Each structure stands twice: as structure tokens, then as C-alpha cells.
Amino acid sequence: MAIKEPIELKWTASGLTYAGLAWGKPDQPVVIALHGWLDNALSFVELAPLLEEYRVVALDLSGHGLSDHRSEDSGYHLWDEIPQLVDVVEQIAKGPVVLLGHSRGASVAILLAAGLADQCEALVLVDGLLPAFGDDRNGAHQVARYVKERKKYLARPERVFASVEEFAERRKQYGFSPDSGIVLAPRALEACEGGFRLRVDPRLFGASALYINREQRSQIYNELEMPVLSLLAGQGLFANSQVARDMVEQAGRCIVHFKSTTLEGSHHLHMEPASVGQVAQCIRQFLIEARAIHAPQSGTPEDS
């Protein structure tokens, strides 16, 4: 029977506290789930119970949910918290793990998989890959934009919403459905005078100073020896975009065991009742196939 109610967990790495939720039993194979931009661990509340053969541990990435914000001399580039996440993974599991990432969390999961090397036995990416939208941007202009926006968002007053519904409605401007806002609200908001304060670090709204370029993406993908599943949303980030098609093509060319499937649904298809069952089914079947790839082959010449 699926376990619907998760337990709260916390870990410390490099002085930062990470919070998370866990479904399943401690002796089951571990899936570590990383949410998307401005989301939190509750984004997996529909999917995790359907992966009932696994212990699913969903983290609040730094600056999100109940996890600590990064210090003012640090930042939120995709690679900034990889050392801390490696430490957290070591606290969660000593053996092999599966990484599951959505959107920005998929990008982080790819870098984390490279950092974990053989400990990551499979990688599942939900409507996300290493981003390519920075390929044609002027590097110097991007650094200037980063500095300007960092100052802007550090100085911005706290965001307070009169109600959870107002928060959910406001998320629509970033392409999120109102329902996803309601689901995420318990970890995204904190009650305060006048309503609900947004927990997310405001620096996450700012631009990145640098991007991973095409050659670097290829180098990273080439090092991923584990099986990789890319689940794309039919109405998500990769719909009707030549840049997105190029991103998928590059990943498929460079990753040795790569499978890409498009499912009906929006960018948050893993949260939607209409699509989450199919997402879970694809992941479960993929992990069975991945296990077969890792299984030792019998009948080698040494056996004869």
C-alpha cells in the first residue's frame, strides 16, 4: 500500500540546514527528488506515493521551502550547492540512489549525478535539461545584469500575500497553475502580520551571472554513464520551441543510455491528477530497465 503521509527530515551540510519530506520505508531503494524554481518538496506529494517500491526523499533546495537561505556572499547558480547536496546524499544513503529532478531541479540533478558518479544509478528528468537559453547572450552584459538584479532583490521588501489564494494566483505570471500554488503553500509561505510571507530567497528571482555553454553541456552529458529518462510535457517548457528541440537532441546524442518520452500535461505534469499516474508508470518501468542495465551479465568467457 502506498504511504501518502510523508515524514519531515532535516540535514546539515556546510552550515546550511536542508529540510525535506520522505515517503516509503528506510530499507527500500532510494529516490532523491529535487523540485523546480520557486517550488519545494511538496511538488512531489502526488507522485511520491505512487512510487511505492521506493523510499522517495524530496528536498527543499536552499532558499526554498523550509531550507536555509544561502549567505549573502554566496549565490544560486545551478552548481553552487552541489557540494552540499553530495553531503546530504551521503547522509541519506550509503548505497546507490536514483535522482529525480523537475525543471530547474532537473538541471541541478544532472550536475549532482556528475558529482556522485557511480553512486547515481539512474537519472529521471521531468520537463528539464541543462539550460541552453544563455548560449547567445553577451557574457559581459549578463554579469552586469546579475550584479544589478542581485542588488535589486536583496533590497526588495518582504513579499506578503493577503491569502493563500492570492499567492496561488500570482504564480500564474510565471506559468504555474493556481492548483500548484495551493499544494506548495504550506512550505512556500509563513504566517505573518497582514497575511502570509513568502519564504523563498528573493535572489532567486535574479539573473545568473554565467551559463553552461554548449561545449560544457556536451562534456557533462558525455560523463553520465547511468541510464537517463527525460519526461517532457506536451504543453510544457519544451513544446513548440526549436531551442528546446536542440536541447533534447544534444542530450540524446551525448548521453549513452538516454530515453525521451513526451506525455500530455503542463510543465507541472508530475503534480496534476490527470497526468501523474502516467508519469509514475513511466518512471517505474524505466527503473526496472535501468536495473537490468546495471545487473552483472552472466555467461562471460571467464565462466566457461
Side-chain angles (χ1 to χ4, degrees):
M1 173 181 279
I3 300 174
K4 294 186 178 296
E5 293 300 323
I7 62 171
E8 288 274 356
L9 296 173
K10 288 188 175 182
W11 308 268
T12 300
S14 302
L16 289 171
T17 296
Y18 284 82
L21 299 170
W23 293 258
K25 300 175 182 177
D27 59 349
Q28 292 177 304
V30 175
V31 174
I32 295 176
L34 306 177
H35 62 79
W37 180 63
L38 304 185
D39 290 350
N40 57 57
L42 282 171
S43 67
F44 297 99
V45 72
E46 295 291 336
L47 176 61
L50 301 181
L51 303 176
E52 50 191 315
E53 304 97 331
Y54 299 89
R55 179 169 177 80
V56 179
V57 182
L59 306 182
D60 290 335
L61 293 171
S62 62
H64 297 79
L66 305 184
S67 290
D68 284 348
H69 293 192
R70 302 185 73 80
S71 63
E72 286 197 13
D73 60 343
S74 183
Y76 290 96
H77 291 94
L78 294 176
W79 51 84
D80 280 335
E81 63 185 327
I82 298 304
Q84 290 83 52
L85 291 177
V86 169
D87 289 347
V88 171
V89 171
E90 290 177 353
Q91 295 175 54
I92 294 172
K94 300 301 181 186
V97 298
V98 173
L99 295 182
L100 164 62
H102 168 245
S103 193
R104 177 180 183 271
S107 302
V108 175
I110 291 168
L111 299 181
L112 180 57
L116 291 173
D118 292 343
Q119 190 179 4
C120 178
E121 64 177 357
L123 179 59
V124 179
L125 311 172
V126 180
D127 219 38
L129 288 163
L130 289 177
F133 45 75
D135 284 5
D136 58 353
R137 296 185 183 178
N138 181 294
H141 293 172
Q142 190 64 26
V143 172
R145 180 185 172 199
Y146 164 73
V147 171
K148 180 179 179 180
E149 293 190 2
R150 182 179 182 278
K151 289 182 179 180
K152 169 186 172 181
Y153 288 111
L154 278 173
R156 192 175 74 174
E158 286 187 338
R159 299 287 297 277
V160 176
F161 300 94
S163 66
V164 172
E165 290 73 21
E166 181 188 348
F167 161 73
E169 183 67 22
R170 191 71 61 85
R171 277 175 59 93
K172 289 171 63 176
Q173 68 180 298
Y174 301 111
F176 300 111
S177 70
D179 288 345
S180 72
I182 299 295
V183 171
L184 299 170
R187 298 176 85 83
L189 302 176
E190 180 178 42
C192 67
E193 184 177 354
F196 298 89
R197 180 183 67 84
L198 187 65
R199 294 180 186 269
V200 70
D201 192 323
R203 287 177 291 170
L204 283 158
F205 289 90
S208 296
L210 298 169
Y211 290 100
I212 298 170
N213 62 34
R214 172 173 286 274
E215 182 178 353
Q216 291 168 329
R217 288 197 304 274
S218 292
Q219 292 169 348
I220 293 168
Y221 286 150
N222 283 332
E223 293 299 315
L224 300 180
E225 298 183 356
M226 72 291 294
V228 179
L229 172 65
S230 170
L231 293 178
L232 305 177
Q235 293 77 48
L237 294 182
F238 290 79
N240 304 317
S241 165
Q242 184 58 50
V243 171
R245 286 191 287 271
D246 290 345
M247 289 166 64
V248 177
E249 188 276 332
Q250 182 185 21
R253 187 177 66 253
C254 297
I255 299 172
V256 62
H257 300 294
F258 182 77
K259 179 179 180 181
S260 181
T261 300
T262 300
L263 302 177
E264 282 300 308
S266 74
H267 181 53
H268 282 81
L269 74 166
H270 64 306
M271 297 179 65
E272 298 171 354
S275 53
V276 66
Q278 193 171 6
V279 172
Q281 182 180 357
C282 287
I283 293 173
R284 293 171 73 185
Q285 181 58 40
F286 166 73
L287 293 180
I288 291 173
E289 297 169 359
R291 201 172 302 126
I293 291 174
H294 282 289
Q297 301 295 314
S298 59
T300 61
E302 290 79 10
D303 295 330
S304 58

